[in-house]
Amino acid sequence: MGRSAEREPADITGVIKERAMGVSARLDTIEKIIRAGIDEKGAAEALTLMGLSNFPAKTLAGIRLYSEVLPKAAEYGFTDSQRYLHFLWDALDKSPVCLDVDFAIPFRRIIAGALFKKCGKNFIAEENCRFNFGQGIELGDNVFFNRGVFIDSKGGLTVGDGVGLAENVQIFTHSHSESDHEIRSYAKVTIGNYALIYSGAVILPGVVIGDEAIVSARSLVAHNVEAGIAVSGSPAQPVRKRHSDGRRLSELNHVWLANSCFQEE
């Protein structure tokens, strides 16, 4: 019994290392598949590497996304690769492996790098983040999406460096005529560097949020937010300057997870 107890730490360390190598190898394979130009065969292989080996791969060739029946689909369009990338992003959250952050966060980062219009380094997205057109999303470095973020990107979204979107933030870039639902307008949303958007906030089309601004939880943002200002309410109104203690931009130390996990680059 004493010998087993002595060996246990080494055994556990070995298991952890072996597991990490296995996760890394699967992610490397998926990234190679995507870089080569993912098709239905590659998507099926990626699903297997995600632990979804029983998915009927023969149905992938004819798959159609919800986004493809939305207005703007004709303008954005979906290549086969973009279709499979979007499918894999959503499929991850239907599988148990979405709970394994060592796989899920790098996996979403790989997809975003290939599907989004731009994706900077160290992007972190948690579970159940949704968007309709990844092709309309531009992200800077060290951007964080917490659980349940929804992005209507039809009109375009640009997010600066070091921005954090907390749980269940919703961003909209289009609206409808009240007299005819088929008449739509689109307006890009822009979020400046090191802004913070807290839980449940809603940002409406055309809004520009300045650098280092703060949007309080549950706020409805219908108008532009000045740099360095905190807003709150529905509709959101300025309440004060940000408590920055004289720090600017990267000095604000927007580290999202413990020990800068997944922000090592």
Side-chain angles (χ1 to χ4, degrees):
M1 185 173 179
R3 291 179 186 174
S4 297
E6 290 175 2
R7 285 199 304 269
E8 187 175 5
D11 293 343
I12 291 174
T13 300
V15 168
I16 291 172
K17 287 182 178 179
E18 184 177 346
R19 177 192 173 281
M21 290 174 63
V23 169
S24 179
R26 283 187 289 147
L27 289 167
D28 286 347
T29 301
I30 290 170
E31 189 166 18
K32 288 176 182 177
I33 291 169
I34 290 171
R35 284 181 176 175
I38 191 168
D39 55 14
E40 63 267 24
K41 182 179 177 182
E45 186 176 352
L47 288 169
T48 298
L49 292 164
M50 294 161 60
L52 300 175
S53 56
N54 294 324
F55 189 90
K58 63 183 180 181
T59 68
L60 286 170
I63 200 167
R64 188 159 65 139
L65 304 174
Y66 172 71
S67 296
E68 293 183 84
V69 298
L70 295 176
K72 283 285 186 177
E75 181 177 324
Y76 275 110
F78 279 87
T79 65
D80 287 343
S81 291
Q82 289 170 334
R83 184 177 296 108
Y84 293 129
L85 289 168
H86 197 139
F87 171 79
L88 289 173
W89 176 287
D90 286 351
L92 175 68
D93 288 316
K94 311 298 182 185
S95 68
V97 77
C98 80
L99 302 174
D100 180 0
V101 295
D102 288 332
F103 182 91
I105 289 176
F107 177 88
R108 294 188 190 99
R109 188 178 290 177
I110 291 168
I111 297 290
L115 180 57
F116 291 2
K117 186 175 181 181
K118 176 188 173 185
C119 183
K121 68 180 182 180
N122 296 330
F123 173 52
I124 298 173
E126 291 280 4
E127 301 166 49
N128 295 313
C129 295
R130 293 290 178 269
F131 50 86
N132 40 40
F133 295 98
Q135 305 94 307
I137 298 174
E138 301 177 76
L139 306 180
D141 296 336
N142 292 294
V143 172
F144 178 66
F145 291 177
N146 212 322
R147 297 176 180 180
V149 166
F150 173 75
I151 297 172
D152 160 37
S153 53
K154 298 187 202 72
L157 171 68
T158 296
V159 177
D161 295 340
V163 171
L165 307 184
E167 299 89 338
N168 301 312
V169 166
Q170 299 178 68
I171 298 174
F172 295 95
T173 62
H174 86 286
S175 59
H176 299 262
S177 165
E178 293 184 12
S179 62
D180 185 340
H181 200 71
E182 286 192 315
I183 298 175
R184 302 173 177 90
S185 60
Y186 300 90
K188 181 179 181 179
V189 167
T190 301
I191 302 176
N193 299 312
Y194 292 87
L196 295 171
I197 317 298
Y198 283 112
S199 301
V202 176
I203 300 172
L204 297 185
V207 164
V208 176
I209 297 175
D211 290 351
E212 303 173 19
I214 291 179
V215 175
S216 298
R218 300 289 183 183
S219 295
L220 175 66
V221 185
H223 303 288
N224 293 349
V225 179
E226 292 184 23
I229 295 297
V231 299
S232 182
S234 182
Q237 300 292 333
V239 291
R240 58 174 173 79
K241 291 184 177 181
R242 177 171 176 160
H243 297 154
S244 60
D245 296 328
R247 298 182 180 185
R248 291 295 317 280
L249 300 174
S250 62
E251 296 172 341
L252 292 165
N253 200 29
H254 282 193
V255 175
W256 307 120
L257 301 173
N259 301 316
S260 302
C261 193
F262 300 108
Q263 284 180 268
E264 301 90 350
E265 292 183 25

